[in-house]
C-alpha cells in the first residue's frame, strides 16, 4: 500500500544522483550562456559609459538583443534536451550522467515536439497563476500529470510491482 510518506522516496533513495544531475545541468547551462553574457555585459557597460546611460542606439539595442538571444538559445536547448533526466534517475534507477545522455538522445528524436509541449504546459500554468494564484491549484497538478504522461509515452510506463 502506498502512503503519503512514499511521496519523497525517490529523493530519499536517489538523492546523490539527483543532486549531481541538477548541479551538472545548471553548470553546463551557465557555461553555455557565457558568450551571450559577455556580449550583454560589454554592450551594457559601453552604452553606459559612452552615453551616460540615458540613450540607446539602434546598434546598441541590436547587440544587446543578440547577446540575450545567445543566452536564451542554449538555455532552451539544454532545458528541453534534459527535461526527463530527473524522472529517469528515479524511475529507471540510472546514474545522473546516463540519465542525462538518455534524455538528450531520446528527446533529440523529436526535440521540437517536446519544446512545443513544454511551452503549452507553461502557458497553462501561467494562466492558472494569473487567476489570482487559485488557478495554480488546478493547473499545477494538470501540468505535472501531462509531464508524467509525456515521460511514459516516450520512455514507456513503469512496470507494475509484482505482488
Amino acid at each position: 500500500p502506498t502512503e503519503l510518506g512514499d511521496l519523497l522516496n525517490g529523493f530519499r533513495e536517489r538523492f546523490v544522483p539527483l543532486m549531481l544531475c541538477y548541479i551538472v545541468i545548471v553548470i553546463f547551462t551557465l557555461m553555455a550562456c557565457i558568450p551571450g553574457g559577455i556580449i550583454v555585459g560589454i554592450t551594457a557597460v559601453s552604452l553606459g559609459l559612452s552615453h551616460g546611460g540615458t540613450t540607446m542606439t539602434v546598434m546598441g539595442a541590436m547587440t544587446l538583443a543578440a547577446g540575450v538571444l545567445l543566452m536564451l538559445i542554449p538555455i532552451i536547448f539544454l532545458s528541453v534536451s534534459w527535461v526527463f533526466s530527473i524522472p529517469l534517475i528515479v524511475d529507471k534507477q540510472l546514474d545522473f550522467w546516463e540519465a542525462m545522455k538518455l534524455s538528450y538522445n531520446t528527446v533529440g528524436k523529436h526535440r521540437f515536439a517536446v519544446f512545443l509541449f513544454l511551452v503549452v504546459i507553461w502557458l497553462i500554468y501561467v494562466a492558472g497563476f494569473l487567476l489570482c494564484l487559485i488557478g495554480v491549484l488546478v493547473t499545477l497538478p494538470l501540468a505535472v500529470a501531462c509531464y508524467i504522461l509525456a515521460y511514459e509515452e516516450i520512455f514507456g510506463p513503469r512496470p507494475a510491482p509484482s505482488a
Side-chain angles (χ1 to χ4, degrees):
T2 304
E3 299 176 5
L4 186 60
D6 296 337
L7 184 65
L8 299 176
N9 274 350
F11 295 104
R12 203 172 297 128
E13 297 169 4
R14 308 287 299 156
F15 177 76
V16 172
L18 289 168
M19 178 187 63
L20 289 173
C21 180
Y22 183 76
I23 290 170
V24 168
I25 288 173
V26 168
I27 289 172
F28 280 24
T29 304
L30 287 174
M31 286 175 29
C33 292
I34 289 173
I38 290 172
I39 292 172
V40 167
I42 290 172
T43 304
V45 168
S46 68
L47 287 173
L49 293 177
S50 64
H51 298 294
T54 56
T55 60
M56 182 181 295
T57 63
V58 173
M59 185 60 111
M62 289 175 56
T63 307
L64 276 175
V68 169
L69 193 62
L70 276 175
M71 289 175 18
L72 284 178
I73 289 172
I75 289 171
I76 292 169
F77 179 82
L78 294 176
S79 297
V80 170
S81 297
W82 290 327
V83 69
F84 295 116
S85 297
I86 301 244
L88 283 168
I89 291 170
V90 175
D91 185 39
K92 308 287 188 200
Q93 302 292 310
L94 297 176
D95 191 39
F96 78 95
W97 192 250
E98 284 77 28
M100 289 173 63
K101 286 193 307 190
L102 181 59
S103 178
Y104 183 88
N105 292 332
T106 306
V107 168
K109 296 173 186 169
H110 28 71
R111 191 175 323 275
F112 190 69
V114 173
F115 170 72
L116 289 179
F117 168 75
L118 293 172
V119 168
V120 169
I121 285 180
W122 181 78
L123 290 173
I124 290 170
Y125 181 73
V126 167
F129 185 78
L130 293 175
L131 294 172
C132 300
L133 297 176
I134 295 172
V136 173
L137 296 175
V138 174
T139 58
L140 181 61
L142 178 64
V144 171
C146 290
Y147 175 74
I148 296 304
L149 286 173
Y151 169 80
E152 287 186 350
E153 182 71 27
I154 293 172
F155 294 98
R158 187 175 194 176
S162 55

